Amino acid sequence: MTVWDGMIGQPEAIATLQAAARAAAGQDATPGAMTHAWLFTGPPGSGRSVAARAFAAALQCERLDAVGCGECFACTAVAHRAHPDVHSVVPEGLSISVAEMRAIVARSARRPVTGRWQIVVIEDADRLTEQASNALLKAVEEPPERTVFLLCAPSTHPDDVSVTIRSRCRLVTLRTPRAADVAAVLVGEGIDAETAEWAAAAGQGHVGRSRRLARDAAASDRRAEVLTIPARLTTLQACLDAASRLVAAAEAESAALSAELDAGETEALATALGAGGTGRGVAAMARGSAGALKELEKRQKSRATRTQRDSLDRALVDLAAFYRDVLLVLAGADVPAAHPDLADDVIAVSRRLDATGALRCLDAVQACREALELNVKPIIALEALTAALRLPD
Ligand SMILES: [Zn+2]
């Protein structure tokens, strides 16, 4: 099992990265194969951060002839996010702050401890604030000799990474993996063939989502609940009910996840602040800790908003695929459906819409996704959506 096995259905990207890793290890003289800054883009779920980590492992791999053997200490440490010379930046809130970025840039200038490179992986580089982006740009423009920056950003929003940063990076474009490739991976992980095939189709090229659908009953229940909505939107009351149910489900999912994460963090911070100190120090620490707690609460709130938004967006992606299936039925196209298990609902809805109507529904789902990105209140965006999806009498 090499580090490249996790990159599903991406032969071109693998070839590019392997050539770079070989050049970096001095095994290949292809001029310009290796460079200091890379930008991994691709649709959600195509495995941007998986690709970045595979490349990071290959650059640190101890087997210079194999680059990315998947078995040596370096490869294993990167896979477990424990390599001292590979740092990951994963924004938990809505953006990566300038303070965070300055700290990262400062650390990136150090010499590698054990590996050959000092590697910084920035997941969701589209969430850099403008100031953070500028702080990063300086480092990317004049990278320390042994430092490599690996940025990841969704290709659906290419403009979210500044043009100047993009122009300094080598681009690695990932594509949506085919359902057959995803199903094969799930089978390899021990999932039975029928479930794997269903989850691969329902996940629509999003590997992580397919894996969750195959393994987590709550995720597949939630999907089924969302996908029974279109056929039921016959009255305005039904539309309003559906909107509030969607929002409530997203809130519940986000609350469950946040409660778990928040409690652990708050406790860790309290322990860290409470350790040691007497006399005047204690008073100063009390003032300081109030600030730190407030800062933590702010971050946790921002993360909860993000989780809720992500959860709603997943529901909307499922709905969009539903209307695509409706269009396929109306067009009589012989293309595999995204939701074959909901064929009855798809047919019922296709009897009440024509192609123009189905396209209008698809547009409405897309408009709702954009409204949520622009911070429109979820219930308002969802009510506008479900009203637009109401079936004609
Ligand atoms: Zn290795």
Side-chain angles (χ1 to χ4, degrees):
M1 177 116 182
T2 76
V3 298
W4 310 106
D5 294 349
M7 290 177 64
I8 299 158
Q10 315 289 347
E12 297 91 351
I14 291 176
T16 306
L17 297 174
Q18 280 181 333
R22 274 198 302 274
Q27 298 291 304
D28 186 341
T30 315
M34 180 57 191
T35 183
H36 287 275
W38 297 74
L39 175 59
F40 295 80
T41 73
S46 56
R48 298 179 298 260
S49 61
V50 172
R53 305 196 70 76
F55 186 41
L59 289 175
Q60 307 288 25
C61 180
E62 288 158 11
R63 286 191 49 195
L64 295 183
D65 58 329
V67 289
C69 69
E71 281 157 9
C72 69
F73 166 77
C75 283
T76 321
V78 174
H80 289 98
R81 297 183 177 252
H83 196 290
D85 293 320
V86 178
H87 304 284
S88 255
V89 186
V90 187
E92 289 198 324
L94 294 172
S95 60
I96 303 175
S97 71
V98 63
E100 243 177 299
M101 187 47 68
R102 287 208 182 107
I104 294 154
V105 166
R107 200 166 50 194
S108 76
R110 292 189 206 146
R111 294 190 58 77
V113 181
T114 60
R116 298 197 298 283
W117 301 92
Q118 181 73 258
I119 299 176
V120 179
V121 181
I122 302 177
E123 294 184 22
D124 299 312
D126 54 311
R127 293 194 205 155
L128 294 173
T129 62
E130 197 181 332
Q131 289 164 304
S133 195
N134 288 337
L136 173 66
L137 182 60
K138 281 195 204 105
V140 171
E141 277 180 327
E142 290 167 35
E145 196 194 343
R146 291 274 116 198
T147 302
V148 181
F149 290 95
L150 306 179
L151 280 60
C152 309
S155 54
T156 35
H157 296 286
D159 301 338
D160 291 350
V161 176
S162 84
V163 181
T164 346
I165 288 196
R166 263 188 294 153
S167 69
R168 299 292 189 280
C169 293
R170 176 88 46 88
L171 197 65
V172 177
T173 310
L174 303 174
R175 53 181 185 190
T176 303
R178 295 180 310 134
D181 291 332
V182 177
V185 170
L186 295 182
V187 168
E189 292 173 2
I191 288 162
D192 70 272
E194 198 184 327
T195 308
E197 215 166 283
W198 162 78
Q204 301 164 62
H206 191 305
V207 181
R209 168 96 174 125
S210 292
R211 189 175 284 130
R212 247 192 325 278
L213 285 172
R215 289 181 184 281
D216 176 2
S220 82
D221 286 352
R222 196 173 129 66
R223 164 186 172 274
E225 162 91 23
V226 167
L227 289 171
T228 53
I229 286 176
R232 285 185 296 188
L233 298 178
T234 48
T235 62
L236 186 58
Q237 191 55 49
C239 294
L240 296 176
D241 289 348
S244 66
R245 267 209 317 279
L246 279 168
V247 173
E251 277 169 359
E253 194 181 10
S254 156
L257 188 68
S258 302
E260 213 173 281
L261 292 169
D262 292 359
E265 284 171 356
T266 309
E267 200 185 308
L269 180 66
T271 312
L273 291 170
T278 48
R280 252 185 325 188
V282 169
M285 182 151 2
R287 279 196 301 278
S289 63
L293 270 173
K294 219 168 164 186
E295 179 64 26
L296 179 66
E297 277 165 16
K298 211 173 92 189
R299 264 196 296 133
Q300 290 173 337
K301 205 168 158 223
S302 162
R303 177 174 62 203
T305 308
R306 184 85 223 170
T307 323
Q308 193 191 333
R309 213 190 266 177
D310 287 348
S311 159
L312 274 177
D313 197 58
R314 260 195 312 280
L316 293 175
V317 168
D318 280 345
L319 279 179
F322 181 94
Y323 288 104
R324 177 182 162 276
D325 284 357
V326 170
L327 259 177
L328 292 177
V329 168
L330 287 169
D334 186 20
V335 179
H339 302 304
D341 51 333
L342 281 125
D344 290 348
D345 277 41
V346 168
I347 288 167
V349 170
S350 72
R351 290 213 175 100
R352 304 184 65 164
L353 291 176
D354 56 10
T356 317
L359 274 174
R360 210 177 289 135
C361 290
L362 261 175
D363 284 345
V365 175
Q366 194 49 38
C368 182
R369 295 183 69 192
E370 281 160 20
L372 290 174
E373 258 321 298
L374 292 170
N375 277 329
V376 172
K377 215 167 162 239
I379 188 66
I380 294 182
L382 267 294
E383 281 178 355
L385 171 66
T386 52
L389 298 180
R390 185 176 164 183
L391 294 169
D393 294 325

